[in-house]
C-alpha cells in the first residue's frame, strides 16, 4: 500500500487528492512544520535524503517530487485514468502543464515570496534602502513580468477548455492546483484571472478534493 509522507500545508496535499480521485487505498504519515523556521522536520530525511515533502513509499519504492509521484502513481496504479491518450493534442497540453507547474510557475512564486519578505525583515537602517531597492528592481525587471506571462498563458489556456489539458479533468489539473492557489494568495484572481478563479472553484467542489482535505488535515494556503 502507498504511504504518503504528508507535510502539513504543503504540495503533498495534491498527492492525497490524486489518490482520492483514483480511489487508490493509501496511508498517511503526518509531519508538522517547525514553528520557528516553517521548514519540514528532520524526520523526513529518514524517508528521503533531501528531507522534503511530498514523498511516498510503495513497498520498497520511494518516490519524491510531485511530478515524479504523479507519473509513478498513474503508470503503476492509474489504469489509464487521468491521462489523455498518447499522440493527441490533449496529451501535449497535459505534458506541458504537468511540468510547467513546478518548472516555471512555482519558482517564480517562491522568488516573489522571498524578495517580498526580504523587504520586510528587520535589517540595519543603513542597508535597508539598498536591500529594498535590489528586491524591487529584481521584481520589476524579472519576477513580475515573467510571472505575469505565465499566468496570462494559463488564463488563455482555460479559455480554450474547462481544464488545462482539454475538456476532461486530468492529473495536469491536480499538478496545476498548487501554483494557481499560490497565485490566488498573491492577488485577487477574480479581477485579473477569472478563469483561474473558476478553475479553483471547480476543483474545490470535487468530492475527492474534500476527502483529501478530511484525511490530510488543515490546509490553509489560501487563508
Amino acid at each position: 500500500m502507498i504511504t504518503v509522507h504528508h507535510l502539513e500545508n504543503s504540495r503533498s496535499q495534491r498527492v492525497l487528492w490524486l489518490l482520492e480521485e483514483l480511489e487508490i487505498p493509501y496511508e498517511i504519515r503526518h509531519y508538522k512544520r517547525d514553528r520557528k523556521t516553517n521548514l519540514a522536520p528532520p524526520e523526513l530525511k529518514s524517508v528521503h535524503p533531501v528531507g522534503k515533502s511530498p514523498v511516498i513509499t510503495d513497498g520498497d519504492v520511494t518516490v519524491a517530487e510531485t511530478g515524479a509521484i504523479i507519473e509513478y502513481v498513474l503508470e503503476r496504479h492509474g489504469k489509464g485514468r487521468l491521462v489523455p491518450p498518447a499522440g493527441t493534442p490533449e496529451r501535449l497540453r497535459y505534458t506541458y502543464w504537468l511540468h510547467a507547474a513546478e518548472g516555471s510557475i512555482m519558482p517564480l512564486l517562491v522568488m516573489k515570496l522571498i524578495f517580498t519578505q526580504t523587504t520586510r525583515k528587520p535589517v540595519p537602517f543603513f542597508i535597508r534602502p539598498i536591500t529594498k531597492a535590489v528586491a524591487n528592481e529584481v521584481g520589476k525587471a524579472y519576477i513580475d513580468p515573467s510571472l505575469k506571462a505565465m499566468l496570462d498563458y494559463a488564463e488563455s489556456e482555460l479559455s480554450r477548455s474547462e481544464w488545462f489539458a482539454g475538456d476532461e479533468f486530468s492529473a495536469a489539473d491536480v499538478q496545476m492546483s498548487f501554483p494557481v492557489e499560490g497565485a490566488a494568495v498573491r492577488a485577487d484572481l477574480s479581477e485579473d484571472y477569472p478563469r483561474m478563479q473558476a478553475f479553483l472553484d471547480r476543483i474545490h467542489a470535487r468530492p475527492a478534493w474534500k476527502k483529501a482535505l478530511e484525511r490530510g488535515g488543515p490546509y490553509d494556503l489560501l487563508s
Side-chain angles (χ1 to χ4, degrees), residues 13 16-17 20 26 207-217:
Q13 185 65 37
L16 304 182
W17 177 27
E20 290 291 348
Y26 64 96
W209 171 274
K210 296 176 182 179
K211 289 181 182 178
L213 284 181
E214 291 173 4
R215 293 200 60 183

Side-chain angles (χ1 to χ4, degrees), residues 118-119 121-135:
T118 298
T119 63
K121 288 184 177 180
V123 295
F125 74 92
F126 54 89
I127 66 169
R128 190 178 305 148
I130 299 174
T131 58
K132 187 174 182 178
V134 170

Side-chain angles (χ1 to χ4, degrees), residues 4 6 10-21 53-54 65-67 69-70 97-98 101-102 106 171-181 203 209 212 219:
V4 181
H6 177 55
S10 76
R11 290 166 166 87
S12 61
Q13 185 65 37
R14 286 179 296 188
V15 177
L16 304 182
W17 177 27
L18 174 69
L19 295 172
E20 290 291 348
E21 290 283 355
S53 181
E65 289 291 339
T66 313
I69 292 170
I70 288 175
W97 290 110
L98 191 68
E102 292 293 330
M106 281 308 303
D173 301 299
V174 175
Q175 180 76 320
M176 279 296 295
S177 64
F178 197 83
V180 175
E181 287 177 324
I203 66 175
W209 171 274
Y219 180 67

Side-chain angles (χ1 to χ4, degrees), residues 38-87:
N38 204 39
L39 298 176
E43 291 85 354
L44 266 173
K45 288 189 176 181
S46 66
V47 184
H48 188 275
V50 174
K52 294 185 178 181
S53 181
V55 60
I56 66 168
T57 49
D58 186 16
D60 60 354
V61 175
T62 300
V63 187
E65 289 291 339
T66 313
I69 292 170
I70 288 175
E71 293 197 46
Y72 171 84
V73 168
L74 293 176
E75 181 180 335
R76 188 78 176 266
H77 305 283
K79 300 179 181 179
R81 294 170 291 173
L82 301 188
V83 184

